[in-house]
Every structure is written in C-alpha cells, then in structure tokens.
Amino acid sequence: MIKLLAGVALTVLTAAAALPALAQDVASLELRRVVIAPPQNSLATTIKQGLASAYAGTKPGTAAHEEAQRLYYFYGERYFEPLWLSLAADGSLAFSDKAEAILDIFRQAGSEGLRREDYLTADLDVSAAEGDPARMAALETAFSAAALRYATHIYTGRIRPQDVSAFLDIAPKRLDEAALLMRLASSDDPGAVFAELEPRHPEFLALKAALARFESDKVDRPEPLPDGPTIKPGMSDPRVPLLRERLKITASAEALTVYDQSLADAVKAFQEAQGLEADGVVGPATLAAFNGGGPVTRADIIANMERWRWMPRELGDFNVMVNVPEFRLAISDHGKQVYATRVVVGTVKNQTPIFSDNIRHIVVNPYWNVPNSIIANEVAPAVLRNPGYISGQNMELLYNGSVISASSVNWGMVSSSNFPFRVRQKPGPSNALGQIKFLFPNKHDVYLHDTPSKSLFARGFRAYSHGCIRVENPMEFADALTVNEPAIDRASLEALFGPSERWVNPQKHIPVHIAYFTLRVSEDGTLRSFGDVYGHNEKLIELMGL
C-alpha cells in the first residue's frame, strides 16, 4: 500500500513548503530528524489534511497540541497511510477487527480506574462515518489518538504530578508511541499489549482487585473492632475474640476473652509493623490501625492507583521506601520487607518532597548546614538578639567559605534580610542530624538522618521536620541498609563516632523512594488507610473528577 519512492521523503526541519503553518513550531519543539513522506493516494491525502488542520488549530504547549504533533509525525513517517481502515473490493472503507477489539477495551476502562468517556469520544462513532471518506479518515486519526491516550494513562497516569503540587518531583515515563501503535495494529491480542504497560507492583494489583470488589462505596474488609476502653495485658474484654481472629491467636473457650501474653506479643508485632509504639496496649491508635484507618472510598482507591502509575517501573531489587502519610520507612529485598522503622517527616509548611533517587553516601558525625530558610526565619533573628547564640548552639558562622568568630562581626550593620553568612552546626550530641545521615544528593537538599529529639517518634502524627526525614533507629537502619556491603556494617560505622565528619561510600547505590500513599495493602489483602497529611490525595481526587 505504501510506495517506497526514493528521494520523496522530506524532513520536518526542511519541509516548510509542505506545511508552512507548522514548520516553525516543529523546528522549535524538537531538533531531531523526522521524516514526513508525501501521501500516495486520496485517502492518505485526506488523512494528512485532517492532521495538519488539527495540528495548526491547537495552542502550542497544550496537551492537545502535543498529541496532534505526535500523530502528524507518526503518520507522516508512513506516507499518511491508515492503520485501522481497510479498503474493500467495492472501494468502500471499513474499520478493522483489531480496532473493534480495542474499542471493547475502552468500554472496560473503569476496571483500570479510568474513564471510558476519555477514549470513547464522539469522534469514534463508526456508524456515523461509514460511507464518507473524509469522516473515515478523521475516525482513523481520532482512534490512534484515543489508543495513545489510553496507553499513556495506564502507563504513567492521567494527571501530571506537578499539577497536584510542586512538591511532587516526579518525571512522567515516556512511551515509544510509534512502536506501540504498530504493535496494537498487528497484534491478535491488543489487550495483552496494553496489559504490559500497567504497573506490576503487587500493591497496585491489589488495589485494582479491591476496585473490582468495590460496591456501594464499601470494600470487603474484616469486621471492625468496636471502640471501647484501652485493653491491657491481663484484662478481659468482649473485643478480644475479634483480636484473636484477626491475628490468628487461638485460646481455650475459658480464656477466649482474656488478653493474655501470647496475644499481647502478636499485638506488639502488629504495632511495630504499623510504625506504632510497640507496647502491646490496644488504645485508640492501635484500634484505628486494626480498622484500616478511615473509611475507604472508590476515589481513594483510584487516586492511589494513579500514584502507583507515577512510580518507577522498577523499584530496585533492594530498595528503601518512605511512605510519608504512614510516617514509616521500609527496606525491601526482592519484594519482601526486611526492615521497617518510624520516621518524622516535614510539616505542612515545610513539606517533604516526593521523588525517587539513590542513596550514595553515609555521613558519620555530620555537620548540619543550616538551610537558608531556617537561617532567615530562625537563626538570624536569634543571633541579632544575642550574638552568643552561635556558640551556644555549637554552630559556626561562615563568610566566603571561611569560619569567622561571631564576636568579630559588626552586628549593627546586619539584618535578617541582609545576613551574608552561612551557618553550620558542628558534629556533636546536640547536632540536629544526630550521629549519622544518609545522602541521596538532590535539588531539594532532603535526606534521611538521625535526631537527638526522640520523643516525637512516640506520637501517632509525625510531621514536624523542616522537610528532611528523621529516622527513629538510624543505626539499625544502617545495619539493614549495608547488608550487601562487604566493608560496611553497623560496627564499622559506630567505630567512626567522634568529633570529625566522616564520609562512607557504599559500593552499590541503593534506590530510595519517597512516596505518598494514603492506602496500603497488608499481606492478608486488607486495606489500611492513612491521613492525607499534605492534602495531595484530596487534590488528586479533585483533578481526576472523582
């Protein structure tokens, strides 16, 4: 159908005569060689005219413009020949069986947490286009656009993370769209092609299964534990049998309602896994954790599925994940959790950003280089009131990279808005970073670290930092983190404790994911919900029209 005529292919960057209205836009958007071949028949000419009109009629920088551009490039490289239309013996055009199969997939978009109306648009009315070559040509390109839209949504999500918040520093994954369209057009099972694009993370698949079970705004969940007095070891309580059932701890009929030591030990293990104080006492926070937090809605499930689509396809065989709403850090080895501990994250005002990186350095006895925002809002005013504040906080004043004495400064010439100094806190027991920090260099200057302020870890709500992530048990974490490092372990790191900053560089960089999931799926398949600390979940639900 396509005539490969040597010498007729033109490039976008030199084809101003072929498409004068678009040549400047194309050249400014991508400096790459894109072949635009001339159409070889009337249908291809009609397809080209429709694509050119759509491209020229969209506003640069919009999603519609980018979509029109991609389609023009794609069809231009194949002489504007159709993928989804076939020519019958009588000269009429028909929509292919493969396209019809993809339409059926669009109709089931709800099972993916997507909206069928985003793909089954009025442009895809096959019956209305039959017998009209121009409308069939428009149907061809509208269908390719819908297929790419659907593929993009299941692969990297419907919503740009940055539209939710600037604190979501997540780059969208990119599809090879031309290759995908060709695979879909040639495959006998387009559903399998699309299925390859969706996340394979177990929690995403569990959320998808929960969505399938969802009815009347409720999902199958264990019988909730009723509110009541705090349950302590040795007490009897009518809720104890439910606890036993949930934790699979048996007892004789006489002791069924007694909160004995074996059940208390199981509760402690549950509390530890949830990032709660592992005291074996079933109070309000533990009851809420057993009941999965707040009520789960269909919108919550879909929003958390969307965030899994934002995550990297591969998290790394050995990785660290910090889930901000859960105030919890976990290390996974080939999909199995091998360590977990509580963390303190940023306040609503000083949010911990959401992104993925790699832990590259471990710093023992770290200096704390005070961020500019803290200098302006806290340190500078304190120093101007009392220049002795610097030495009293075990801090150093730096000017042009050199340490200077606070007593040598004419503080009458300095103000909070004109504070030409950097400030750092020296290593020591009062250092804000504690004895160790774990670095994954990033533009946010956020990292994992120890803290001398341990009392906050006992609280259920733990968003109190300036943005960095405080780790409750940093040396246990260090030991678990370096299990694959032959020359580094907890003992070797503790041997470096002292007055001088020491850097240790693991041989392997360890993926670290700072994530934001308000729903997690337990090993037994139950959903646990967590507070929307920064409002990201609510905003995403709004943007998704849920």
Side-chain angles (χ1 to χ4, degrees), residues 492-545:
S492 68
L493 293 171
E494 289 178 341
L496 300 177
F497 285 169
S500 300
E501 184 175 85
R502 304 290 293 274
W503 284 58
V504 178
N505 302 318
Q507 292 181 6
K508 296 180 179 178
H509 294 171
I510 302 164
V512 56
H513 308 284
I514 305 176
Y516 195 94
F517 294 110
T518 57
L519 285 182
R520 301 298 301 272
V521 184
S522 302
E523 289 185 0
D524 63 0
T526 59
L527 296 180
R528 295 179 289 120
S529 63
F530 302 95
D532 188 11
V533 186
Y534 301 148
H536 295 337
N537 193 61
E538 181 181 1
K539 179 64 174 179
L540 179 57
I541 286 172
E542 176 188 335
L543 290 174
M544 296 185 80

Side-chain angles (χ1 to χ4, degrees), residues 402-438:
S402 299
V403 177
I404 63 171
S405 170
S407 62
S408 68
V409 177
N410 181 357
W411 291 106
M413 303 294 292
V414 179
S415 67
S416 293
S417 59
N418 179 29
F419 196 86
F421 310 107
R422 286 180 51 235
V423 179
R424 69 182 184 185
Q425 190 175 39
K426 293 185 286 187
S430 64
N431 186 283
L433 307 186
Q435 293 179 296
I436 192 168
K437 68 178 179 180
F438 307 87

Side-chain angles (χ1 to χ4, degrees), residues 223-229 231 237-239 242 287 291:
E223 183 180 350
L225 291 166
D227 290 335
I231 309 174
D237 191 282
R239 294 167 293 172
L242 278 177
L287 273 176
N291 291 334

Side-chain angles (χ1 to χ4, degrees), residues 265-281:
D265 290 341
V267 168
K268 287 180 182 179
F270 171 82
Q271 290 170 324
E272 184 67 31
Q274 301 298 309
L276 301 169
E277 184 176 1
D279 57 7
V281 174

